[in-house]
Amino acid sequence: MKHLTLMTSLLLAILTGCATTAPSASSERRYEGSAHRLKEDPRVGVYTSKPWGFSTNSFWIEGPEGVVVMDTQFLTSAARELIELAERETGKKVVLAVVLHANPDKFNGTPVFQERGIRVVTARQVSERIPSVFELRTRWFKSRYAPDWPEVEPRPEVFGAETTVLEAAGLKLKAHVLGPACSDSQVVVEWEGHLFTGDMVANGTHAWLELGHQHEWIQRLDELARMNPRQVHPGRGESAGPELLTRQRAYLEKVIELVRALNPTLPVRDEAVAEAVQKVKAAYPELSLEVFLRVGMPEVYRREAELRANAAGH
């Protein structure tokens, strides 16, 4: 409980500096997020929420018969903007959205899409984790974000438990179902050299390390690299080439190296975690969203301490 209270305080502290009031009503529609097509392939577009919604990316693909969206946003207002801007930009209707993993910046907008008759799908493994994650995050965030928080638990449709091909909007998208990384399981969508990774890849921010899956995460990145993507589309930050996978892997390896250098021990001590955070911050002074690092480091440290203790026992 102490750890949950600390995480909540950390997240709310950084968000307080992002926004304090709701936007004023206006007869003219004002968009708070931003959207544009990607110059590398204008069939792909990106909507990025305002910082109050964690500057979260949602991507769209324009097909011959409609639009497919990756992730539904954290704020319900951002979900509405995403749909409006994608449809305004393409002149076509959004017909499908895919939730890539079980975090509210990916699934919270699901009811907004479904109210408009848009199918929202995910893998069974992700769907099974949404109720517990939503319940926890609602306790963290609902009072601060209301009324911009879902009133009902988001419930995407399940497309299955194995990697499959999704057909919509005249497109065929390969939805890979993968194991632990930034979440306990994730979907990664592959389409014509494009790879939509959600928070498994971040560009310019610290990683969401809350669950302590840093070693499995490296394995997932190796799996993505073997797909030989031309473009990688991260949960935050700009899209780029496969170098984003290499950079994310190097970041995780460095985090592990720095924590191990502190000879981590159990039980986890707050001051030891704080020292580990400072080491990573010093190694990556250019990265934003330090709060993700602070929230995640207790489990990263615990995991490395357990591995060290197990190794010593053998």
Side-chain angles (χ1 to χ4, degrees):
M1 182 61 68
K2 178 180 177 183
H3 179 46
L4 292 180
T5 302
L6 173 62
M7 289 197 292
T8 307
S9 299
L10 288 171
L11 286 164
L12 295 183
I14 194 168
L15 289 171
T16 300
C18 296
T20 55
T21 59
S24 58
S26 170
S27 58
E28 182 181 349
R29 182 72 170 97
R30 294 174 59 247
Y31 294 105
E32 298 188 298
S34 62
H36 65 275
R37 294 177 184 264
L38 302 185
K39 63 181 181 180
E40 294 83 2
D41 188 338
R43 297 174 299 173
V44 177
V46 58
Y47 169 87
T48 303
S49 72
K50 60 186 177 180
W52 188 237
F54 294 102
S55 301
T56 299
N57 289 339
S58 289
F59 293 89
W60 75 75
I61 305 172
E62 180 183 356
E65 301 168 11
V67 177
V68 176
V69 168
M70 307 299 157
D71 289 326
T72 68
Q73 284 290 321
F74 182 76
L75 303 172
T76 56
S77 62
R80 288 190 290 271
E81 282 194 355
L82 163 59
I83 296 168
E84 279 188 43
L85 287 169
E87 292 186 342
R88 189 182 74 173
E89 182 67 30
T90 62
K92 298 173 182 176
K93 291 294 186 181
V94 176
V95 299
L96 180 71
V98 184
V99 172
L100 299 182
H101 54 83
N103 239 12
D105 56 339
K106 312 305 172 194
F107 62 64
N108 264 6
T110 296
V112 174
F113 280 71
Q114 291 170 330
E115 287 165 5
R116 287 157 174 76
I118 302 167
R119 292 183 63 216
V120 183
V121 302
T122 194
R124 179 175 297 123
Q125 296 91 325
V126 175
S127 176
E128 289 172 349
R129 286 161 177 77
I130 288 176
S132 60
V133 173
F134 181 68
E135 190 275 334
L136 173 62
R137 300 299 197 261
T138 296
R139 283 192 277 119
W140 285 12
F141 291 129
K142 183 176 181 179
S143 62
R144 176 162 291 266
Y145 282 101
D148 210 358
W149 187 264
E151 289 299 322
V152 296
E153 177 189 299
R155 294 184 178 179
E157 297 178 32
V158 171
F159 65 70
E162 305 291 336
T163 294
T164 190
V165 174
L166 302 174
E167 297 190 29
L171 301 167
K172 291 185 177 182
L173 313 170
K174 192 168 187 180
H176 297 269
V177 181
L178 304 179
C182 59
S183 187
D184 288 322
S185 62
Q186 24 264 306
V187 176
V188 169
V189 172
E190 182 184 16
W191 174 73
E192 294 192 6
H194 294 275
L195 205 57
F196 301 89
T197 66
D199 294 336
M200 206 186 310
V201 178
N203 187 3
T205 75
H206 286 285
W208 182 255
L209 296 163
E210 179 194 15
L211 300 181
H213 292 323
Q214 57 269 25
H215 294 278
E216 294 86 349
W217 197 331
I218 289 172
Q219 295 173 18
R220 301 290 85 77
L221 292 169
D222 289 344
E223 292 168 4
L224 299 187
R226 288 194 289 271
M227 297 176 194
N228 297 311
R230 176 169 49 88
Q231 283 280 297
V232 176
H233 305 292
R236 287 176 181 82
E238 295 183 2
S239 300
E243 67 273 11
L244 286 186
L245 302 177
T246 303
R247 199 181 307 162
Q248 188 70 54
R249 193 183 201 284
Y251 171 90
L252 294 170
E253 289 174 336
K254 189 66 174 179
V255 169
I256 293 168
E257 174 192 327
L258 291 171
V259 173
R260 284 181 172 177
L262 298 174
N263 296 318
T265 57
L266 296 171
V268 176
R269 295 175 295 110
D270 290 344
E271 57 270 28
V273 170
E275 183 179 3
V277 168
Q278 292 305 314
K279 294 286 187 183
V280 178
K281 282 176 56 181
Y284 294 96
E286 76 283 4
L287 297 185
S288 64
L289 287 176
E290 173 197 322
V291 65
F292 288 0
L293 175 64
R294 288 185 281 155
V295 166
M297 186 55 74
E299 285 306 313
V300 171
Y301 187 97
R302 184 189 311 279
R303 179 79 181 280
E304 295 306 325
E306 290 172 350
L307 289 172
R308 183 169 180 260
N310 290 339
H314 288 88

